[in-house]
Amino acid sequence: MKESIAVLGAGSWGTALAVLLAHKGFRVNLWARRPELATALRETGENKTYLPGVRLTGTIIPTADLPAAVKGAGLVVLSVPSHAVRSTARLLKPFLPKGTVVVNTAKGLELETKKRLSQVLVEEGLDRVAVLSGPSHAEEVGRGLPTTVVVAAADRETAEYVQDVFMDPTFRVYTNPDIIGVEFGGALKNIIALATGMADGLGLGDNTRAALMTRGMAEIARLGVALGGQVLTFAGLSGIGDLIVTCTSMYSRNRRAGILLGKGQSLEEVLDAVGMVVEGVRTTAAARELACQHGIKMPITEEIYQVLYKGKPVGDCVAALMERPRTHEVESGDW
């Protein structure tokens, strides 16, 4: 048996990663915040709420006891929603030996501070932080379908350690030193997935979806580069790769939420129907504020913000985007 790993967060993604790591021979302590969920996982051998149809192997130990989950773990995987990253880090810190690598897998920004999630973890005293991102639906990873992702960290040793832990015949891991670009790509694509979902809900077709994805990628890169990311990162797995899968798949919560918004449902109704965290909602507000602070033009993000937070009809966004005054419409000059 290899070293033990703690996966904190028993949602769909945490469960899928626990299954992947268990198949590699690791003992995996899968921590659920709610004791009743941990009990259900132990009794049924399946996460019927968040990842139905994927069996949990015997080396996955569901628990609601955080100290027990991280005790002796050589690696901690943080798979909680973005809004819970700081509070979970504070719970985790007293039980975490110095130097333990923490891998964050949430894709978002902290709404209150507008900070990247790795910044939040470092602020909370976690000294070796990596980020796992890329086009990777839990439903497919849990079934062992071929997937490629990227891991970023402040130093190469940490990134390559995480790469070795996760690398599998069905799960290929690349490394990238640009943690800023990787995090912004993973977070901001959810905004564009909301937009493409809204367009699909309105029945606007493939041309509109393609336009939103390509111009959305331009927005993502503009903000990401302005805040220290590298432009090439946005052409990689955590950029265009994640954007493609999130904007085109029905596994995507953000796209599904956008479709329902496009069909006329309220945000409250949509979130209730999706039943899980839709990261793009909070990220839209955080990204819009960052764009305003730094003078970055993000017209798609602005329109999505108006729908989510100001009650603007979805159909009015199309005209607002298409009829904007012509300023600098040279595509290659936007990057």
Side-chain angles (χ1 to χ4, degrees):
M1 178 68 66
K2 298 179 181 179
E3 66 180 331
S4 67
I5 293 176
V7 176
L8 308 186
S12 58
W13 191 218
T15 303
L17 291 176
V19 169
L20 169 74
L21 294 166
H23 283 163
K24 289 197 64 180
F26 292 101
R27 171 192 167 101
V28 182
N29 297 322
L30 178 58
W31 176 75
R33 180 180 56 84
R34 295 183 288 115
E36 60 270 25
L37 177 56
T39 299
L41 297 180
R42 285 195 301 270
E43 291 179 348
T44 65
E46 182 182 351
N47 193 335
K48 293 186 178 181
T49 302
Y50 298 112
L51 197 65
V54 176
R55 300 298 300 172
L56 308 183
T57 71
T59 58
I60 296 176
I61 314 299
T63 180
D65 185 339
L66 182 60
V70 301
K71 184 178 181 180
L75 179 76
V76 174
V77 179
L78 201 58
S79 192
V80 298
S82 61
H83 65 266
V85 165
R86 189 180 293 275
S87 60
T88 305
R90 288 178 179 173
L91 291 174
L92 171 64
K93 181 64 169 61
F95 309 108
L96 195 69
K98 186 175 177 61
T100 303
V101 175
V102 177
V103 183
N104 180 55
T105 68
K107 298 172 180 176
L109 300 171
E110 187 176 56
L111 180 57
E112 296 76 13
T113 66
K114 316 304 177 289
K115 291 182 178 179
R116 294 176 288 108
L117 300 181
S118 68
Q119 292 176 299
V120 171
L121 294 176
V122 171
E123 277 188 357
E124 293 302 323
L126 306 183
D127 55 347
R128 290 189 72 191
V129 175
V131 173
L132 186 74
S133 192
S136 48
H137 288 310
E139 294 83 354
E140 296 187 356
V141 172
R143 291 162 51 206
L145 299 183
T147 300
T148 56
V149 297
V150 61
V151 61
D155 63 276
R156 183 172 181 172
E157 180 183 3
T158 298
E160 291 184 346
Y161 168 66
V162 177
Q163 179 185 41
D164 290 341
V165 168
F166 280 93
M167 185 79 86
D168 180 81
T170 65
F171 197 78
R172 186 166 184 83
V173 185
Y174 294 82
T175 62
N176 189 326
D178 180 19
I179 194 168
I180 297 175
V182 167
E183 286 189 285
F184 272 117
L188 302 184
K189 53 88 183 182
N190 287 326
I191 304 171
I192 309 307
L194 283 169
T196 58
M198 290 178 192
D200 289 339
L202 290 169
L204 296 182
D206 296 339
N207 293 351
T208 304
R209 186 187 310 112
L212 288 167
M213 290 171 66
T214 50
R215 297 312 304 162
M217 192 72 253
E219 289 191 14
I220 292 171
R222 273 199 297 265
L223 183 61
V225 170
L227 293 173
Q230 301 299 311
V231 68
L232 285 178
T233 298
F234 298 99
L237 289 168
S238 61
I240 192 67
D242 211 355
L243 183 75
I244 290 169
V245 78
T246 310
C247 289
T248 61
S249 173
M250 284 304 291
Y251 286 136
S252 166
R253 303 172 201 172
N254 293 278
R255 180 178 179 234
R256 296 203 312 270
I259 290 172
L260 296 176
L261 287 165
K263 290 181 179 295
Q265 293 190 22
S266 69
L267 180 58
E268 183 178 2
E269 291 172 331
V270 167
L271 296 179
D272 184 61
V274 174
M276 291 185 278
V277 174
V278 179
E279 290 283 12
V281 174
R282 286 172 170 262
T283 302
T284 297
R288 177 184 183 266
E289 187 162 333
L290 284 173
C292 292
Q293 289 174 359
H294 295 273
I296 305 299
K297 292 182 179 179
M298 299 184 73
I300 298 173
T301 300
E302 177 62 33
E303 291 302 316
I304 302 307
Y305 175 84
Q306 293 297 325
V307 170
L308 296 177
Y309 293 96
K310 301 298 181 180
K312 184 174 185 176
V314 174
D316 292 352
C317 296
V318 181
L321 288 169
M322 294 296 289
E323 298 173 10
R324 286 181 298 126
R326 182 174 65 85
T327 52
H328 183 63
E329 298 293 304
V330 180
E331 184 182 41
S332 62
D334 288 344
W335 288 64

